[in-house]
Amino acid sequence: MVEARIKELRDTLEMHNYNYYVLSSPTISDFEFDKLMKELQALEKAHPEYADPNSPTQRVGSDLSKDFASIAHKYPMLSLGNTYSEGEVRDFYERVARDLNESFEIIAELKYDGTSISLTYKNGRLTQAVTRGDGTQGDEVTANARTIRSIPLKLMGNDYPEEFEIRGEVLLPWTEFDRLNKEREDQEEPLFANPRNAASGTLKQQNPAIVASRKLDAYFYYLLGENLPADTHYDNLEAARKWGFKIPRVMRKCSTLQEVFDYIAYWDTERKKLPVATDGIVLKVNSLRQQKNLGFTAKSPRWAIAYKFQAERARTKLNFVSFQVGRTGIITPVANLDPVLLAGTIVKRASLHNADIIAGLDLRVGDMVYVEKGGEIIPKIVDVDKEARVESDLERVVFPKDCPICGTSLIRVEGEAAHYCPNDSGCPPQIKGKIEHFVTRKAMNINIGPETIEDLYDAGLVKDVADLYILKICDLLRLERWAEKSANNLMKSLENSKEVPFGRVLYGLGIRYVGETVAKRLVSVFHSIEELEKASFITLTQTDEIGERIAQSVIDYFADERNRILISRLKEYGLRMSVAKDDFENQSDKLKGLSIVISGTFSKYSRDDYKVMIEQHGGKNMGSVSGKTDYILAGENMGPAKLEKAKKLGIKIISEEEFLNMIGQ
Ligand code: IVH
């Protein structure tokens, strides 16, 4: 009985460790994870006969991945004990007081919710950046860390130790997180669930250029080494701030437990205004001598503890689970709930992510469930109130084997959590999704909404995007809700769409990974659909910004005969399948040889438009300001760091108007 439970807990925790650290894609909350871990620790303690050196309690998890060099940490990277109540914080405070038996100070800090990093500096220069890994050894990600602007490569002043380590958190600010997810949505890539996953995923990118483009930030909170400047944690961090590190200004010295509680209460709400995600408070004994006296357990220091903010949570009834089929065929289970107020909004639906989550919760229709809004954007079900389950015959929620819409057997790719419907050309939501994408403003700009598409599809009039162009007014008038005027409007809109430039048509086709930017990029090199179709994998990957994944997707698209037929029909109906002469007329070499950095927000055109314009006129758009930059095209709210750098390097800053003048617009 006990042995079986221990095994079950070990297996479950191992799986979650893997999801969290290796896949960067956790499937349960930290709170749940800690609860299971505590249960396992208690059982192992009570039953030492079942001890196992490979138990998840014996390690702190691993984010090791195969492609980076593994580096042993000089000082192990430990984790912190977690607490969830004021009572537990009091216990910690009282234990420290008892063990030290003298007065002490506590430094309260925010617990940043990103991915931890340890930096080594020798003679004032960054020599190494390593992730936490399993706590003993981590991945060497120095090249990536160098791209993070807030990490100093060379220190200021001269009073730093010859060699030291500094630890902190790599973070993706909320605004960048939103921007990145929007971009990924556009490219049909899976979204990051929260900024933490986005930060750790980014830091482990093989290509430092991608890392640089994502604008990570890094906050530091722990200095280690032989000859530190001060004998308190606080003063050491203050010294590090002077050397150029980003040390959060929100840390506070507390001399009483009440001050600690006040800090917690204040930041529980104020933290929501911060630019980065936080998930708790960290309390540390200030004096290094006292830290040393208190020492460490196997996994964490006795002189520090984390207090985790309670994610906002509500209890409500699960009415039923629906299974949605997305444009790309992925099946998403959605919990339909009795409406409940959570963190200021009414929640009626919650994500259940995938089949594993449903099975893990042992979910039944009619269950009372707990919904949480933590670091995630969409609320999720984190627990079931099993005690409230009075009827014993509640129906278990089962994940369907077949597509709920078209009945095709679902597929699950080895190693992936999601199920999807492979019937991409016959499954209605996938077809309708493709049409919806085709008509959007950024693609063909055809004036119809999802409901109309649904009607046209249901009436059997439109089964793919090409069918739109053979619609007849008399067909439309036979349908409900259509009148002469609306039918004429659609005809006009379809006619106008034949003028849409090739780049947008290509984007509208919905080739996987070919978002707006990629489409523009492809069109600038391959001037017609025939040229693109003929391009080999190698030719494609030799194109700037086109990686292997995109190249393969393009190849796969043209390999499918149904797509080739679709394209030839669209061509026959008059859509632009090549770069038109006047597309070229937009081009010049007015910016030839010039490197231009774009910064800030603009009113006349979007940032992406300006990017395209720079390239159309022979210039090069660069992500960061350097000695090679010729101009900075600055909108409103240009980043202060860029501004300062530009001034220092004497780079000319131009406005939108000046830029448009330069290209003769
Ligand atoms: S101190 C020995 N301070 O939380 C103490 N950690 O569970 C080392 N974290 O791995 C950590 N904010 O990634 C410390 N202000 C802070 C922190 C912080 C976030 C993370 C860090 C660490 C984990 C501990």
Side-chain angles (χ1 to χ4, degrees):
M1 187 62 205
V2 171
E3 194 180 6
R5 179 66 185 155
I6 289 183
K7 181 173 182 317
E8 184 182 29
L9 284 166
R10 283 178 183 159
D11 291 349
T12 312
L13 287 164
E14 267 313 296
M15 178 192 83
H16 289 306
N17 260 333
Y18 177 77
N19 287 343
Y20 187 107
Y21 288 105
V22 181
L23 302 183
S24 297
S25 153
T27 50
I28 57 165
S29 68
D30 292 3
F31 176 81
E32 277 301 309
F33 184 92
D34 288 336
K35 210 167 86 182
L36 296 175
M37 183 63 92
K38 276 187 184 156
E39 183 185 345
L40 179 58
Q41 282 164 341
L43 284 177
E44 287 183 351
K45 202 167 163 202
H47 300 274
E49 68 272 27
Y50 299 130
D52 179 354
N54 287 324
S55 167
T57 56
Q58 303 304 303
R59 64 176 194 153
V60 263
S62 170
D63 64 0
L64 295 177
S65 47
K66 60 180 188 325
D67 302 313
F68 292 98
S70 224
I71 302 261
H73 292 297
K74 187 165 170 193
Y75 312 95
M77 272 180 99
L78 300 173
S79 61
L80 294 170
N82 281 331
T83 62
Y84 296 92
S85 66
E86 292 204 341
E88 287 175 286
V89 171
R90 181 186 299 277
D91 290 347
F92 164 76
Y93 196 89
E94 286 171 356
R95 180 178 54 72
V96 169
R98 217 173 31 243
D99 289 354
L100 288 176
N101 202 18
E102 60 178 343
S103 68
F104 62 96
E105 282 174 336
I106 291 286
I107 303 303
E109 297 167 13
L110 284 176
K111 186 169 190 299
Y112 294 95
D113 197 11
T115 183
S116 46
I117 194 145
S118 188
L119 306 179
T120 303
Y121 285 79
K122 288 185 185 157
N123 300 314
R125 282 170 195 274
L126 174 68
T127 56
Q128 198 168 69
V130 185
T131 65
R132 176 163 139 207
D134 62 5
T136 310
Q137 53 180 24
D139 285 331
E140 203 244 22
V141 291
T142 318
N144 286 346
R146 284 187 207 281
T147 70
I148 301 175
R149 311 305 166 90
S150 43
I151 291 183
L153 302 179
K154 201 171 152 250
L155 300 183
M156 302 188 280
N158 54 12
D159 58 342
Y160 41 77
E162 198 175 293
E163 179 174 343
F164 68 90
E165 273 186 45
I166 190 161
R167 292 189 179 161
E169 205 78 355
V170 170
L171 298 152
L172 191 72
W174 286 112
T175 50
E176 275 300 305
F177 171 71
D178 293 340
R179 188 189 60 78
L180 182 61
N181 260 356
K182 222 174 127 246
E183 200 176 285
R184 289 172 78 86
E185 199 171 359
D186 213 32
Q187 316 275 358
E188 287 178 36
E189 290 177 76
L191 302 191
F192 287 118
N194 52 47
R196 177 187 358 103
N197 293 353
S200 71
T202 301
L203 198 60
K204 293 214 206 142
Q205 281 282 332
Q206 294 294 326
N207 180 353
I210 294 181
V211 184
S213 74
R214 298 220 182 135
K215 310 219 168 45
L216 293 167
D217 203 346
Y219 293 19
F220 291 88
Y221 45 65
Y222 190 26
L223 194 65
L224 293 109
E226 308 297 323
N227 300 304
L228 299 185
D231 52 18
T232 63
H233 170 66
Y234 191 92
D235 292 344
N236 277 328
L237 288 187
E238 284 301 334
R241 191 201 304 288
K242 296 205 180 85
W243 304 334
F245 292 100
K246 191 164 191 168
I247 309 288
R249 290 191 186 274
V250 300
M251 60 173 179
R252 279 286 165 280
K253 254 183 223 168
C254 303
S255 312
T256 65
L257 183 58
Q258 189 53 47
E259 283 172 41
V260 171
F261 287 155
D262 291 346
Y263 187 87
I264 292 177
Y266 178 79
W267 284 108
D268 195 5
T269 51
E270 279 307 295
R271 71 193 181 101
K272 290 171 191 154
K273 301 179 191 154
L274 296 173
V276 293
T278 53
D279 63 341
I281 301 280
V282 181
L283 303 172
K284 300 172 184 169
V285 169
N286 193 19
S287 148
L288 301 194
R289 175 184 60 80
Q290 290 178 337
Q291 285 187 1
K292 215 164 151 195
N293 283 345
L294 290 163
F296 295 86
T297 71
K299 289 196 311 155
S300 48
R302 278 188 229 275
W303 46 264
I305 199 155
Y307 165 84
K308 300 266 257 188
F309 294 124
Q310 183 62 257
E312 291 184 70
R313 164 185 276 232
R315 185 173 172 277
T316 187
K317 188 170 161 202
L318 172 71
N319 291 321
F320 62 97
V321 175
S322 47
F323 295 87
Q324 294 182 343
V325 187
R327 166 159 76 100
T328 53
I330 292 196
I331 314 290
T332 313
V334 175
N336 293 265
L337 309 162
D338 269 355
V340 64
L341 187 66
L342 175 64
T345 49
I346 305 270
V347 174
K348 296 193 199 99
R349 288 143 60 89
S351 167
L352 281 164
H353 298 286
N354 55 51
D356 293 345
I357 300 260
I358 295 178
L361 289 165
D362 183 25
L363 207 56
R364 318 275 171 102
V365 175
D367 265 336
M368 293 306 292
V369 295
Y370 292 99
V371 198
E372 219 172 66
K373 217 180 214 169
E376 273 73 25
I377 341 165
I378 306 163
K380 59 179 181 182
I381 294 188
V382 289
D383 208 355
V384 176
D385 184 354
K386 297 221 170 99
E387 314 219 311
R389 207 181 256 172
V390 274
E391 300 154 68
S392 53
D393 57 346
L394 287 180
E395 187 194 333
R396 190 170 257 128
V397 176
V398 280
F399 205 92
K401 293 212 164 15
D402 302 329
C403 174
I405 307 288
C406 75
T408 306
S409 286
L410 298 181
I411 287 183
R412 187 175 193 171
V413 179
E414 189 83 34
E416 276 181 28
H419 285 75
Y420 76 95
C421 168
N423 183 17
D424 61 339
S425 61
C427 181
Q430 297 189 58
I431 298 172
K432 285 183 247 174
K434 280 198 184 80
I435 302 172
E436 279 170 30
H437 172 73
F438 184 76
V439 301
T440 49
R441 208 168 39 83
K442 287 178 175 177
M444 306 306 288
N445 195 19
I446 298 168
N447 208 355
I448 42 172
E451 272 176 35
T452 311
I453 293 174
E454 180 113 32
D455 289 348
L456 293 173
Y457 179 83
D458 290 346
L461 291 172
V462 175
K463 285 189 281 327
D464 60 33
V465 297
D467 288 345
L468 286 170
Y469 293 93
I470 48 171
L471 277 174
K472 289 197 248 0
I473 293 199
C474 58
D475 291 336
L476 295 171
L477 292 179
R478 254 182 274 133
L479 302 178
E480 257 179 70
R481 286 202 299 255
W482 284 89
E484 198 92 24
K485 188 164 171 230
S486 49
N488 274 326
N489 279 344
L490 175 56
M491 288 300 144
K492 213 157 92 199
S493 179
L494 282 164
E495 215 36 51
N496 288 343
S497 76
K498 294 179 186 169
E499 298 304 314
V500 163
F502 176 42
R504 277 168 53 193
V505 178
L506 182 62
Y507 166 65
L509 291 177
I511 303 174
R512 197 180 283 259
Y513 308 130
V514 179
E516 231 188 323
T517 328
V518 171
K520 281 182 193 155
R521 191 69 233 153
L522 287 171
V523 165
S524 72
V525 178
F526 307 97
H527 291 169
S528 68
I529 198 90
E530 291 79 15
E531 274 182 54
L532 185 60
E533 184 180 341
K534 267 190 282 176
S536 68
F537 181 80
I538 302 285
T539 318
L540 284 164
T541 51
Q542 276 163 356
T543 309
D544 258 0
E545 289 164 50
I546 305 300
E548 295 186 357
R549 202 182 45 145
I550 300 174
Q552 193 55 52
S553 170
V554 171
I555 299 278
D556 291 346
Y557 183 85
F558 287 107
D560 190 331
E561 194 191 359
R562 290 170 303 185
N563 293 329
R564 293 200 304 270
I565 294 173
L566 184 80
I567 286 171
S568 73
R569 284 180 64 205
L570 289 173
K571 220 162 104 183
E572 186 191 320
Y573 302 146
L575 270 66
R576 291 206 185 169
M577 288 295 175
S578 61
V579 179
K581 212 168 131 269
D582 53 355
D583 290 347
F584 280 121
E585 276 166 15
N586 266 331
Q587 300 199 352
S588 79
D589 51 10
K590 290 194 175 112
L591 305 176
K592 198 170 168 186
L594 297 179
S595 280
I596 302 178
V597 171
I598 305 178
S599 182
T601 51
F602 299 91
S603 52
K604 292 214 159 85
Y605 293 93
S606 73
R607 266 176 100 97
D608 284 339
D609 289 338
Y610 280 121
K611 247 190 223 171
V612 174
M613 287 187 225
I614 291 174
E615 278 161 18
Q616 274 183 341
H617 294 278
K620 210 166 157 66
N621 171 233
M622 312 274 277
S624 63
V625 181
S626 73
K628 291 190 201 128
T629 311
D630 296 295
Y631 291 102
I632 296 180
L633 169 54
E636 263 178 60
N637 304 324
M638 171 177 175
K642 268 193 188 140
L643 188 63
E644 198 177 310
K645 199 157 176 196
K647 278 190 188 149
K648 217 162 83 191
L649 296 169
I651 297 164
K652 184 148 192 238
I653 298 176
I654 52 172
S655 67
E656 257 176 296
E657 288 77 16
E658 287 172 288
F659 174 80
L660 292 171
N661 266 335
M662 278 169 78
I663 59 170
Q665 267 198 33

